[in-house]
Amino acid sequence: MDALHAAAPALALSVLALALSAGRRGPAGLLMALSSACLFAFAALLLYSYSVVDWVSLVLSVTSFALVVVVTLYTTYYVEAERLPRSLPLLVSLFGFSISLTYLAVNLILFVIAWSFMEIIGFVLVRIGEEYSTEGSLRAARGYLLTSTTAFEITAFTLIVLSVPSIVSSYSPNVLYQPFAGATPVVEVSSPVLLALLLAGFVAKAALFPLHFWLPGAHSTAPSPASALLSGLTTPLGFYGLLRLTEIVDLTAWSQSLAYLLLAMGLSSIAYAGLEALGQRDGKLMLAYTTILTNGFTALLFALYLTSPTSTLLLVAVVLVMLMQMGYKTVLFCGMGLIELAYGTRYIQGLAGVSQQLRTSSLGVLIAVYTLIGVPGTVGFLAKLLSMYLLLTGVVEGGGLPAVAALAGAVLYIALSAVVGVRVLSVYTASMRSRRPPLEFKQPNTPLEAAVLGMGLLSLAPSALLLQGLGGPGWLVALAVSTLPIPLAVSLLQTARVVTGVARAPA
């Protein structure tokens, strides 16, 4: 394909620049990282202009890579403070690139290759966490390998095997190389066992209940920058993979059953993970369970999309929730890494007033928390508002039990995510005078805090642009644009309140 040949040099230069920026401090590293981001964006736009990839791939790949670049810069300084292996920034950069390349993959073969590469590096990162961390599971890497990695390889093998009849009948392997954009389903599934094998890898990656058990240990054990990418960028790939599966495999006969399955798993994930998240003292474990919580919400929307695959707005809602996950989760995990550096622990019970000492990074973290809660101006607000609008419309128009169940699950998710968000908020903004434990504070490097702020600001932009580009409802686009300054303004006011309040407090 001409477009792929044209984009390949830009992608090669992008990964080279990103790898060179890993571990390099100062302006040179920053310049290389920015160059890498520009090259990747150019390649993605080129593929999109040739209609080789669709808008879903474009939005998710570019957004994820922008976050990958900032996380790579963060890791460069994080390694020195935590005394982790010098190879960690390079591993994180390659891991992040493989994630974004999976979102940008134009066909099944490239998708499987990029995903497999991602799984291998992900396993190595979790294993590093086991070796160097004094907290977290010692079986996390094994669980990641046996569940997430193995399940995907089974799914990929099954999909390729099922493609053989189409390849033989047409005397061409086009099914493996045809672009996802505009693809027509050519693979048929006649057995529920084969369907289960096709779904296993994607459902396991999304960590939906009951295939969630590997995630809390793996994501809380890995180093914080790796945890940010694992939770924020890789788990949405489960739903992205399901979307691509529907474009290759004819699931018409199974769509209703599959929708009910995802509804059940989504509701179970929301109820289970929400309660588990609220019961955690370990900040990273709490965030890991919040990942399962948000994925449960995504599963509800994706289930409805399966029953109405022509609904662009439902797909937009699914993508907005995925962007929400990318935005708030990368920031919060990196923010938790700063807490661990500053206070020597990731246990947040009783910790308060962090904004007074980590002022710059607190702005990014507070934006992420407001995204999770759904404050106007954030992608979380737009995702939840559009989802509730579509779910309520479905109930009113007689959507039946699936619509009612999805609406109930969405309400539960909004409530639980708000409670979790308020708990994280209290760590940063609650009074220090009575709650702060006697922990020694060590000021992290300024670039670490600046990176967290940068991630927070990045999470504000894509939603309004996405809605405008897709011709979303005018009222929703106007709301997205008009409320954009609110999260940053509120974050500044909250941080200022904590700082001035502590400054005025008697010694």
Side-chain angles (χ1 to χ4, degrees):
M1 290 179 285
D2 293 338
L4 188 57
H5 291 156
L11 290 173
L13 290 173
S14 175
V15 68
L16 178 61
L18 186 65
L20 290 174
S21 73
R24 190 182 296 269
R25 304 179 60 169
L30 179 61
L31 182 61
M32 288 181 181
L34 292 175
S35 300
S36 175
C38 292
L39 286 165
F40 189 92
F42 170 76
L45 288 168
L46 184 64
L47 292 172
Y48 179 72
S49 67
Y50 277 87
S51 300
V52 178
V53 299
D54 57 15
W55 65 268
V56 177
S57 182
L58 175 68
V59 170
L60 295 178
S61 63
V62 172
T63 302
S64 65
F65 195 72
L67 291 167
V68 165
V69 167
V70 185
V71 171
T72 299
L73 295 172
Y74 172 95
T75 310
T76 297
Y77 295 89
Y78 183 83
V79 162
E80 295 183 2
E82 276 283 49
R83 294 179 182 154
L84 290 164
R86 294 284 182 179
S87 60
L88 185 64
L90 178 61
L91 287 171
V92 166
S93 67
L94 294 177
F95 182 57
F97 185 83
S98 63
I99 296 170
S100 298
L101 194 62
T102 306
Y103 283 117
L104 190 62
V106 300
N107 55 43
L108 179 60
I109 287 294
L110 294 178
F111 179 80
V112 170
I113 292 172
W115 188 309
S116 299
F117 190 61
M118 173 193 73
E119 292 286 1
I120 294 169
I121 304 179
F123 168 76
V124 174
L125 290 171
V126 177
R127 191 74 185 91
I128 288 175
E130 284 185 350
E131 292 178 3
Y132 285 83
S133 175
T134 58
E135 298 166 309
S137 172
L138 291 174
R139 299 187 298 272
R142 189 190 315 163
Y144 180 90
L145 182 67
L146 294 179
T147 307
S148 176
T149 305
T150 304
F152 174 74
E153 297 306 325
I154 291 173
T155 291
F157 178 77
T158 305
L159 185 54
I160 292 173
V161 169
L162 289 176
S163 303
V164 170
S166 175
I167 294 172
V168 172
S169 62
S170 62
Y171 298 99
S172 171
N174 283 343
V175 64
L176 302 178
Y177 295 99
Q178 67 173 336
F180 287 131
T184 55
V186 293
V187 178
E188 297 183 357
V189 179
S190 57
S191 165
V193 175
L194 291 176
L195 180 65
L197 293 176
L198 285 175
L199 298 176
F202 302 126
V203 173
K205 177 55 69 178
L208 295 175
F209 184 92
L211 296 179
H212 68 284
F213 52 86
W214 64 273
L215 187 144
H219 289 199
S220 62
T221 300
S224 288
S227 300
L229 298 183
L230 284 165
S231 266
L233 305 188
T234 67
T235 60
L237 269 173
F239 298 103
Y240 180 78
L242 286 175
L243 176 64
R244 295 311 179 199
L245 186 68
T246 63
E247 296 169 347
I248 298 173
V249 181
D250 185 2
L251 297 176
T252 306
W254 303 96
S255 59
Q256 200 69 26
S257 301
L258 186 52
Y260 278 110
L261 175 64
L262 286 177
L263 277 174
M265 297 181 83
L267 287 169
S268 302
S269 299
I270 290 171
Y272 167 79
L275 295 176
E276 284 290 334
L278 294 175
Q280 301 301 321
R281 294 173 180 265
D282 183 330
K284 289 184 73 173
L285 260 181
M286 181 189 68
L287 293 178
Y289 279 109
T290 310
T291 299
I292 303 172
L293 174 69
T294 300
N295 286 344
F297 181 49
T298 312
L300 299 182
L301 296 173
F302 198 88
L304 296 184
Y305 174 73
L306 286 175
T307 62
S308 304
T310 58
S311 173
T312 303
L313 275 184
L314 266 175
L315 184 55
V316 170
V318 171
V319 172
L320 282 176
V321 177
M322 293 167 72
L323 289 173
M324 176 181 75
Q325 179 87 299
M326 288 180 175
Y328 88 81
K329 193 52 63 69
T330 51
V331 179
L332 292 186
F333 263 112
C334 288
M336 196 58 62
L338 284 181
I339 287 179
E340 197 170 5
L341 290 177
Y343 297 98
T345 182
R346 65 193 204 194
Y347 287 90
I348 60 174
Q349 186 71 20
L351 187 62
V354 172
S355 289
Q356 196 274 330
Q357 293 171 312
L358 299 176
R359 300 177 186 180
T360 303
S361 61
S362 290
L363 295 177
V365 170
L366 293 180
I367 291 173
V369 172
Y370 297 144
T371 299
L372 174 61
I373 295 174
V375 170
T378 63
V379 63
F381 169 72
L382 293 175
K384 293 176 180 180
L385 183 62
L386 179 59
S387 299
M388 289 301 295
Y389 168 75
L390 293 171
L391 292 172
L392 285 169
T393 302
V395 171
V396 171
E397 294 179 352
L401 182 60
V404 174
L407 179 61
V411 171
L412 180 61
Y413 168 74
I414 291 171
L416 288 172
S417 62
V419 175
V420 173
V422 169
R423 187 181 179 196
V424 179
L425 193 65
S426 69
V427 172
Y428 283 83
T429 62
S431 171
M432 295 173 57
R433 285 172 292 182
S434 60
R435 295 184 59 204
R436 181 186 172 190
L439 296 174
E440 181 182 352
F441 176 77
K442 180 181 178 181
Q443 182 67 48
N445 288 331
T446 300
L448 277 171
E449 289 207 71
V452 174
L453 173 59
M455 291 179 227
L457 294 174
L458 275 175
S459 67
L460 292 177
S463 53
L465 298 174
L466 173 62
L467 288 170
Q468 180 66 45
L470 294 176
W475 60 271
L476 195 60
V477 174
L479 196 60
V481 175
S482 61
T483 59
L484 199 56
I486 292 177
L488 182 58
V490 175
S491 299
L492 286 167
L493 290 173
Q494 284 276 26
T495 303
R497 182 186 66 80
V498 174
V499 172
T500 56
V502 173
R504 293 172 184 171

